[in-house]
Amino acid sequence: MKKIYETVLCALKELKLSYNYDEESDIFDYRIPTDNTSYFQRLLPFEEQEILFSVTNFPIMIPEDKRFMFVNLLNKLNLKLQLGYFVLDPEDGELTYRIACPVDNGVINTAIVIVAIGNGITTMENYFQEFITALGTTTALIDTQCGEE
């Protein structure tokens, strides 16, 4: 039985989120709108490893000339974070916030999934303006497709 999968499914339905599920990669993805933007988020249930992984994308790719500055900024922010961490892909500038939730002996519930979803969005929102300021841009330039393939 796919316990993590079933729990993620229940949580997404409880939150009334419209989602896509890719059976081949076993990934749920969806968008969550906020006051600032809309975030693309993925949930990856790794049944064998007993881990639920949550990935939230920042809606703007970080330009190459700003990546070094962002790595330093993210390192400082990561020291303050207690649940997840920021990652900047040096190749394409994709900025994500990631959370790994261990599922000990198959014990997981919808509350854990909802916390992973909410924490990803809340953390991105908490640092949204700081990231926009560091980019030296305005919110009008946000690419709401960031993270989608």
Side-chain angles (χ1 to χ4, degrees), residues 35-52:
D35 289 341
N36 287 316
T37 188
S38 177
Y39 294 99
F40 179 73
Q41 194 172 60
R42 293 179 301 278
L43 293 175
L44 299 82
F46 294 115
E47 301 286 344
E48 286 184 26
Q49 297 88 347
E50 295 190 314
I51 294 174
L52 172 63

Side-chain angles (χ1 to χ4, degrees), residues 39 56-74 77 86-97 124 127-138 141-143 145-147:
Y39 294 99
T56 307
N57 285 72
F58 188 67
I60 300 175
M61 300 299 258
I62 308 305
E64 192 170 350
D65 65 328
K66 304 268 185 184
R67 291 180 194 162
F68 182 76
M69 175 198 53
F70 259 83
V71 167
N72 289 324
L73 172 62
L74 297 176
L77 295 177
F86 286 107
V87 175
L88 179 63
D89 185 323
E91 297 297 316
D92 64 8
E94 180 182 58
L95 172 59
T96 58
Y97 178 72
M124 278 294 192
Y127 295 104
F128 179 84
Q129 197 55 55
E130 187 171 351
F131 294 158
I132 292 296
T133 300
L135 284 167
T137 189
T138 66
L141 299 176
I142 292 176
D143 173 8
Q145 303 304 307
C146 188

Side-chain angles (χ1 to χ4, degrees), residues 77-139:
L77 295 177
N78 281 339
L79 291 173
K80 299 176 189 177
L81 298 172
Q82 296 179 358
L83 187 57
Y85 54 95
F86 286 107
V87 175
L88 179 63
D89 185 323
E91 297 297 316
D92 64 8
E94 180 182 58
L95 172 59
T96 58
Y97 178 72
R98 300 173 182 213
I99 301 168
C101 301
V103 179
D104 192 27
N105 294 317
V107 177
I108 187 169
N109 58 45
T110 56
I112 292 170
V113 178
I114 291 169
V115 165
I117 292 169
N119 183 264
I121 301 303
T122 300
T123 302
M124 278 294 192
E125 279 291 278
N126 287 344
Y127 295 104
F128 179 84
Q129 197 55 55
E130 187 171 351
F131 294 158
I132 292 296
T133 300
L135 284 167
T137 189
T138 66
T139 56

